[in-house]
Amino acid sequence: MTEGSARGDAVGTGSTVVPPGQRGATRIADRVVAKIAAQAAREAVGPLPADAGRPHATVVVRAHSQRSGGGTPVEAAHVRIHLELDYPTDIGARCHEVRRHVTERVGALVGMEVPEVAVQVERLHLTSAPGTAHGRTR
C-alpha cells in the first residue's frame, strides 16, 4: 500500500494523486433547488385553509463571485415563491418568515448562497371565526 492510499486520497493503486479541488463538481438542477425552496416555504407558512393552493417556487441558479473568498465563483440561487395565505394575518411577518426559512434551508441542504427570495402572495383566503356571519354585513 502506498503512502497516498493509506491516507485515502489516492484514486487506486499506482495512480497519481488528484487534489480534491480538481476532482470535479456536483451541479444541482434548478428544479431540485425549486422543490427544496417550495418545501421550505410550506414548512414556514404552516397549515393553510383547505381550498388554498400549495406554495410553489421558481429558481434561477447563477454563478457569481464570492466577495469574501477572493473572487472564487460560487453558485447562488435566486428564488421566487408563490403562495396563498389565510386572512386576517400579519402578511409582512409571514413573508419575512418564508424568506428566512427558505434562505436557511436551501443554504443548508444545497450549499448555495441565496441572495434573493421574492415572495409573491397570489391570493388571500378569508378565515372567519366560528359563529361569525359570512358575506357582507350592513
Side-chain angles (χ1 to χ4, degrees):
M1 186 180 294
T2 65
E3 181 181 331
S5 63
R7 290 193 315 256
D9 56 355
V11 185
T13 323
S15 66
T16 61
V17 176
V18 180
Q22 296 177 0
R23 290 183 191 158
T26 301
R27 170 100 168 78
I28 299 173
D30 293 5
R31 67 186 182 106
V32 172
V33 180
K35 286 182 180 185
I36 292 170
Q39 176 62 37
R42 282 190 290 275
E43 293 169 1
V45 168
L48 291 173
D51 59 339
R54 294 174 53 143
H56 62 279
T58 55
V59 174
V60 176
V61 177
R62 296 183 270 230
H64 77 283
S65 61
Q66 192 175 17
R67 289 175 178 79
S68 63
T72 306
V74 296
E75 288 189 331
H78 299 267
V79 180
R80 178 173 295 277
I81 302 287
H82 305 269
L83 53 89
E84 299 179 14
L85 296 175
D86 52 342
Y87 187 81
T89 187
D90 185 351
I91 298 169
R94 294 196 60 194
C95 290
H96 174 74
E97 179 60 23
V98 168
R99 281 187 207 96
R100 185 198 64 75
H101 195 66
V102 167
T103 301
E104 176 183 295
R105 296 296 288 161
V106 170
L109 294 174
V110 181
M112 290 183 183
E113 291 185 16
V114 185
E116 174 186 17
V117 177
V119 178
Q120 180 174 343
V121 178
E122 294 183 343
R123 185 181 299 171
L124 296 173
H125 294 269
L126 183 61
T127 57
S128 57
T132 59
H134 294 286
R136 298 178 80 186
T137 58
R138 293 182 186 229

